[in-house]
Amino acid sequence: MPLSYSARLRRDLRDWQERGLIQPEQAERIAAHALAPRGLRHFQTALALCILLLVAPSIIAFVTANWSTMSPSARLIVLFLANAAAVSATYLASRRVARDQAGSIRRLVDGLATLSLAIAAATLALVGQTFHVAADPHGFAETIAVFGLSTALVTRSGGAALIACIALIATDAGLGGLDLALMRGEAASGSGSWFWMVGPALFLASLSGWLPARI
């Protein structure tokens, strides 16, 4: 059963049209009037983002304070639940965007997608810490760049694209390693290949309008 007012209204309008109670033109006028953007909708979105920004750090602080006393299995369960919650919230918000096409909901999807990417990045770091995997900042940055590109393209998130760009800058290519290799006549490898795959993909997605040009 649809939970939001807009989803219920659209369902009822379709039902009334099928029953012959209203004409399609009347349904369009009703939907345009009832679902027109109003200040309250922006307030609700801002309130939801504020709650998210307040609750998320509290949960992170609580987990961090008890992280050292948790078993590896408990840590994996916590990380899995956090990722599942973030991805599920992004998916539900994306479905609502497909129905309503509201700008405020698009911003909420962008924020949730960025949050899910941040949680995924933290998960990679914490899993490596839990199982004492040797630190590899270069590989970590490349992985986040790929994750960020995927998230940005799937959810059309400017925030995820921004994280992908920051991850690219953190690689050797972004810091000039690629330029030095080309100056020496060496073949580009590793970070260079990722740079030329992720960077142009982000640029073309922004140029085509799939990703917001202003992040």
Side-chain angles (χ1 to χ4, degrees):
M1 177 180 178
L3 298 179
S4 66
Y5 168 71
S6 59
R8 294 196 306 271
L9 177 62
R10 293 183 186 279
R11 180 201 58 186
D12 291 339
L13 290 174
R14 288 193 299 267
D15 181 60
W16 296 340
Q17 289 183 67
E18 293 173 357
R19 294 174 182 270
L21 300 177
I22 59 175
Q23 299 299 318
E25 296 79 7
Q26 293 175 310
E28 292 178 2
R29 290 199 299 270
I30 293 173
H33 174 73
L35 303 179
R38 294 180 175 86
L40 184 60
R41 172 171 292 187
H42 296 291
F43 173 76
Q44 292 172 343
T45 303
L47 183 61
L49 289 174
C50 288
I51 293 174
L52 183 66
L53 292 174
L54 290 174
V55 172
S58 301
I59 296 175
I60 293 173
F62 175 79
V63 173
T64 302
N66 297 276
W67 188 256
S68 59
T69 60
M70 297 171 62
S71 64
S73 59
R75 295 180 181 182
L76 291 178
I77 291 174
V78 170
L79 294 174
F80 174 79
L81 292 177
N83 281 278
V87 172
S88 298
T90 305
Y91 170 73
L92 293 175
S94 299
R95 289 192 59 185
R96 184 171 178 181
V97 166
R99 293 194 303 266
D100 296 347
Q101 297 294 327
S104 57
I105 304 300
R106 286 186 180 277
R107 288 189 289 272
L108 180 60
V109 172
D110 195 349
L112 289 172
T114 306
L115 176 63
S116 69
L117 179 59
I119 292 176
T123 297
L124 289 176
L126 292 174
V127 167
Q129 180 194 54
T130 298
F131 294 99
H132 307 289
V133 178
D136 182 11
H138 179 79
F140 178 76
E142 288 183 341
T143 303
I144 298 305
V146 174
F147 280 2
L149 172 64
S150 303
T151 303
L153 294 180
V154 171
T155 63
R156 304 185 66 173
S157 169
L162 177 61
I163 292 179
C165 291
I166 294 174
L168 279 180
I169 294 173
T171 63
D172 290 342
L175 296 176
L178 179 62
D179 294 336
L180 293 176
L182 293 177
M183 289 174 62
R184 293 194 301 265
E186 299 175 358
S189 60
S191 62
S193 61
W194 285 117
F195 179 84
W196 292 114
M197 288 174 61
V198 177
L202 289 172
F203 175 75
L204 292 175
S206 298
L207 189 64
S208 66
W210 183 259
L211 290 176
R214 290 178 294 178
I215 300 175

